[in-house]
Amino acid sequence: MRALISAGIGLVAAIALVLTITAIGAPPGETSPKPLLTTVPDHP
């Protein structure tokens, strides 16, 4: 029974955290217009 109560409390805490982050919103900012370019090193 204790495990069930602990799991329930953990679930409520996780949902509260998600809702809090959702309410605050994403931080302001912009994404870079330049794409990230990756290269594979040449093998001799």
Side-chain angles (χ1 to χ4, degrees):
M1 188 65 181
R2 288 181 187 175
L4 185 61
I5 293 172
S6 296
I9 291 172
L11 182 62
V12 169
I15 292 173
L17 180 63
V18 170
L19 290 177
T20 302
I21 293 173
T22 303
I24 292 172
E30 297 178 359
T31 58
S32 173
K34 296 180 181 179
L36 294 174
L37 300 176
T38 58
T39 58
V40 177
D42 294 331
H43 293 288

